[in-house]
Amino acid sequence: MVDILDIDVAVIGAGPAGLMAAETAAQGGARVTVFDGMSSAARKFLLAGRGGLNLTHSEPLPEFLARYGDAQARLAPAIEAFPPDALRAWAEELRQPTFVGSSGRVFPVAMKASPLLRAWLRRLDGQGVQLQLRHRWSGWDDDGRLLFDTFGGVRAVEARATVLALGGASWPKLGSDGGWVDRLAAKGVAIAPLKPANCGFLVDWSDVFVDEYQGAPLKNLALSFGGHSLRGEAIVTRGGLEGGAVYALSASLRDAVLADGAATLTIALRPDLSADELAARLGKPKGKQSLSTYLRKAAGLAPAGIGLLQEAARARGLSLAAMSPTELAALINTVPVRLTGIAPIARAISTAGGIAFDELDDAYMLRRLRGVFAAGEMLDWEAPTGGYLLTGCFATGAAAGRGALAWLGR
C-alpha cells in the first residue's frame, strides 16, 4: 500500500534525538510524523531513567565540549545552539525541574524518565506531531518513498524531508539494532564500524574468584591505563569487569583490545594511601589473624579487593602470605587486570562509530541523500556517561530538525 500522506517531515526513531527533531520541526510549522518499530516510544531512554536519568552536566561549556574527544569540533555548533542550560530550561517547561548532584551531574527532581517522557509526548501531540508505532523502516522504494514493515504489510510513505534517528547498536531489544547500516552503505554513505562504548570488558577470572565475588562492587578505586588515571567504582561480573570507572576508560581500553587482543588495566585499591603508609600498616604483627582478616583491618580492603589481590598473585605464581609488607603494599595499588576481550555491544551503554561527519553538511543533511537528515547515536561520535550522551542526542536532534525546516524553506 502507498500512503500519500501530507507529511512535511518524517522522523524515523522515537528516541531523544528523533523526538527533539520532531519538536523542533513542529515548532517551525511543519507537519511531522514520527515512526518507530517498537510498540512504545523511547524504550532506551526509559531504561536510562531507571538509574535517575542523568540528563546533562553542569560543568562549564568548554570542559563539557572537550568530553566529546575527536568529535568535539563537529558537535560543538549543535551543542552550543542547545547547551546544557537550554536542556534544563526545556525540562522545566515540561514541569520537570532539575537539580545538580554532588558530582555535577544534572537529574530531574523526579529521578525518573517516565514523567518527563509522558509530558513530552503530550506536548508533541498538542503540536500536531503524529506517532506511528510498530513501523519498522526497511529503506526506500524505487521512487524514493520510505518503506515500513507493519503488521498489515509493507507501507510506503512520501515525505518532503526525513530525519533518521535510529540509534546505534546497543540494547537492540529496545529498538536500536544497527540494521540501518547496510541500507545507508548501499547508498554510498561512509559509515565507521559500530563498536561498544561505555562498555564492560572480559577477564579470565578463576572459578574460585567468580563463585565468591560475582556481582561484588569494588569501591573507591583508582583505575589507570595509557597514561590516564581516574577515581571511581567497578563491579565484578562473571565474565569480567564493568562499572562507571571502567566505562570512563572504555574508549582507550577498547581500542587497545581491538588492536592487540588484550590490555592490562591497573587498579589501585587504596589510592588514598602511599606505598610507605601501606607498608607501615602491613608491617604490624599479624598474630593469629587470617590473612584476609589482617588485610581487611590493616589495609582497609574489602573482601572483593582481597580476592582481586589473590587473583593477581596467582597469575604471577606467587602467594600473598609469602610477600613482604613492602611487596604487598606495592601490589595493593598496582593490581594488574588483564582484559582479554570486550563485552558484547548489545550490553554496552552506547555505541561508537556510525555515519561519518564528512557525509553531513552543516545542517545535518546527508550529502548523498538530499532531504535526508541524521542525528543522535547514528553519527560517528562517543562520549562518557555523565549526561554527555543524552545532551549530544538532544542537541543533534534539534540541529537536524532545524535543517529539515531550512530544507522545506520554513
Side-chain angles (χ1 to χ4, degrees), residues 188-211:
V189 177
I191 300 169
L194 299 182
K195 299 178 289 187
N198 294 293
C199 55
F201 291 86
L202 307 182
V203 181
D204 292 331
W205 303 125
S206 68
D207 292 340
V208 172
F209 181 77
V210 168
D211 291 344

Side-chain angles (χ1 to χ4, degrees), residues 236-302:
V236 176
T237 67
R238 173 160 290 279
L241 270 181
E242 59 182 50
V246 178
Y247 302 153
L249 292 173
S250 64
S252 55
L253 289 169
R254 176 200 65 220
D255 292 346
V257 171
L258 289 175
D260 304 325
T264 298
L265 176 68
T266 301
I267 298 179
L269 296 172
R270 288 302 310 269
D272 52 321
L273 296 175
S274 68
D276 289 342
E277 289 172 320
L278 277 169
R281 292 187 179 202
L282 294 167
K284 296 176 182 179
K286 175 173 168 287
K288 295 182 179 181
Q289 300 176 97
S290 68
L291 179 60
S292 292
T293 300
Y294 179 63
L295 289 171
R296 177 173 58 83
K297 291 183 176 180
L301 297 180

Side-chain angles (χ1 to χ4, degrees), residues 142-185:
D142 293 340
D143 296 318
R145 291 179 291 234
L146 298 166
L147 295 177
F148 297 92
D149 294 326
T150 74
F151 287 148
V154 176
R155 186 180 188 188
V157 173
E158 286 190 353
R160 298 173 183 84
T162 299
V163 176
L164 301 177
L166 288 150
S170 62
W171 291 93
K173 67 180 182 180
L174 301 179
S176 56
D177 59 8
W180 52 267
V181 170
D182 290 343
R183 291 168 220 148
L184 293 186

Side-chain angles (χ1 to χ4, degrees), residues 72-136:
Q72 175 183 348
R74 306 304 295 266
L75 289 172
I79 294 174
E80 288 168 349
F82 194 71
D85 286 346
L87 180 53
R88 296 186 68 185
W90 170 84
E92 184 81 34
E93 291 172 0
L94 291 171
R95 297 184 180 179
Q96 296 297 315
T98 59
F99 71 95
V100 180
S102 58
S103 64
R105 299 183 180 200
V106 175
F107 302 88
V109 171
M111 291 298 287
K112 295 178 181 178
S114 51
L116 188 150
L117 179 61
R118 285 196 298 270
W120 194 7
L121 292 175
R122 283 195 300 270
R123 182 157 78 181
L124 289 169
D125 182 64
Q127 293 169 336
V129 174
Q130 301 293 311
L131 184 59
Q132 296 284 336
L133 300 171
R134 297 188 176 92
H135 279 61
R136 188 169 296 279

Side-chain angles (χ1 to χ4, degrees), residues 1-7 145 155-160:
M1 176 173 68
V2 177
D3 286 346
I4 310 300
L5 300 180
D6 191 12
I7 296 177
R145 291 179 291 234
R155 186 180 188 188
V157 173
E158 286 190 353
R160 298 173 183 84

